[in-house]
Amino acid sequence: LVQAQAVQRIRIRADLARAEVPPGQASAVGLIINEILTQTIQSENRHDGESVITVSAWTEQDDIHLTLATDSDNGAPRDVTASGLGAQIISRLSRQARSSVRWSATGSGINVHITVSRESE
């Protein structure tokens, strides 16, 4: 997506620990992440300066945690949540994947935290 938008100012960094999503939830979680990245990149693309999007994943007990955090060098205010169709997609997929999505503003960007409760196996 970054290349498709011809954006050279946005870098994506991954800090991923093993976080296995059960097969019944994997498609929905993947689509949630894709939609959040799309919303985040579009938000960052509206601002001048360099941006880094860090994607992190880890497991704690029976939950899988994913964060997508932006860090921008210009400090301009950001949209804190998804909007329109993107928000509807994230909301519906979150219910399907037994997950929650929390958006928050930071001093230099956006932080999105996804918690996925694993299905009983």
Side-chain angles (χ1 to χ4, degrees), residues 66-112:
L66 302 142
T67 60
L68 291 93
T70 64
D71 187 14
S72 180
D73 64 2
N74 70 2
R78 300 289 193 264
D79 299 329
V80 179
T81 60
S83 60
L85 181 58
Q88 291 177 12
I89 290 169
I90 292 168
S91 176
R92 289 180 182 164
L93 289 169
S94 293
R95 285 191 300 274
Q96 179 182 338
R98 295 185 50 209
S99 63
S100 64
V101 179
R102 291 186 322 269
W103 298 72
S104 60
T106 64
S108 60
I110 301 168
N111 188 357
V112 184

Side-chain angles (χ1 to χ4, degrees), residues 11-115:
R11 293 180 304 156
I12 296 181
R13 179 177 32 209
D15 178 17
L16 307 172
R18 189 169 188 90
E20 295 182 15
V21 177
Q25 293 169 277
S27 294
V29 170
L31 290 170
I32 290 168
I33 294 167
N34 182 68
E35 189 60 37
I36 291 170
L37 274 171
T38 299
Q39 295 276 329
T40 303
I41 289 169
Q42 288 172 349
S43 175
E44 291 301 306
N45 197 29
R46 289 190 287 269
H47 301 280
D48 292 329
E50 298 280 324
S51 296
V52 175
I53 299 173
T54 302
V55 181
S56 303
W58 69 96
T59 301
E60 274 182 12
Q61 299 172 354
D62 289 333
D63 292 334
I64 299 154
H65 298 273
L66 302 142
T67 60
L68 291 93
T70 64
D71 187 14
S72 180
D73 64 2
N74 70 2
R78 300 289 193 264
D79 299 329
V80 179
T81 60
S83 60
L85 181 58
Q88 291 177 12
I89 290 169
I90 292 168
S91 176
R92 289 180 182 164
L93 289 169
S94 293
R95 285 191 300 274
Q96 179 182 338
R98 295 185 50 209
S99 63
S100 64
V101 179
R102 291 186 322 269
W103 298 72
S104 60
T106 64
S108 60
I110 301 168
N111 188 357
V112 184
H113 186 97
I114 305 164
T115 303

